[in-house]
Amino acid sequence: MAENQFLKNAHLRGLIDEREIAFLADITCTNGNSGRAFCFLNGSVLSLYACAGISDTGDLIEAIDLKDAKFLKGSSFVLHPTMKLQYNGNTYSMQGFTQAKKMIDAVKSACGE
């Protein structure tokens, strides 16, 4: 089986840990930011990066320390996976990502509340 270069690069950059939690999602935030972003989970830090292509990350948009975040809700329904969390007074809504159950469980378990 071929090695996943995207995940290998994310490991080398310190964006993900051994759980390999990385996904692309449509994100909206109550601070006005919205769009498609790459999400990487390393420990309890969820890093949001702009998309610079199909598998290229752009600039860091925001790093969320999930220990200080509250998981509000999530749905792994295959046709419309969603996740919502609250951090620093803002609410982040994520949708349209793959491996929803794995991603939601990882984010939820890293959240402080």
Side-chain angles (χ1 to χ4, degrees):
M1 182 185 243
E3 187 176 36
N4 185 321
Q5 285 300 119
F6 181 76
L7 292 178
K8 181 180 178 182
N9 185 40
H11 270 291
L12 291 173
R13 293 175 57 195
L15 298 175
I16 58 174
D17 55 28
E18 68 282 347
R19 297 173 294 175
E20 296 187 338
I21 304 298
F23 57 96
L24 186 61
D26 293 317
I27 302 174
T28 57
C29 180
T30 55
N31 69 6
N33 282 342
S34 66
R36 197 128 175 96
F38 284 106
C39 306
F40 300 97
L41 183 60
N42 187 348
S44 66
V45 177
L46 182 67
S47 300
L48 309 178
Y49 279 83
C51 294
I54 294 173
S55 63
D56 295 326
T57 59
D59 295 332
L60 175 67
I61 298 167
E62 189 164 1
I64 300 170
D65 189 349
L66 295 176
K67 290 184 291 189
D68 299 325
K70 180 179 181 181
F71 186 87
L72 300 176
K73 64 181 175 177
S75 170
S76 59
F77 179 62
V78 70
L79 297 177
H80 188 67
T82 61
M83 181 172 17
K84 189 178 280 192
L85 55 97
Q86 195 169 44
Y87 177 73
N88 277 350
N90 292 308
T91 301
Y92 296 81
S93 297
M94 303 173 188
Q95 59 186 356
F97 48 93
T98 61
Q99 297 182 345
K101 181 164 177 29
K102 178 181 175 183
M103 302 308 156
I104 290 169
D105 288 347
V107 169
K108 187 176 185 178
S109 68
C111 283
E113 293 184 36

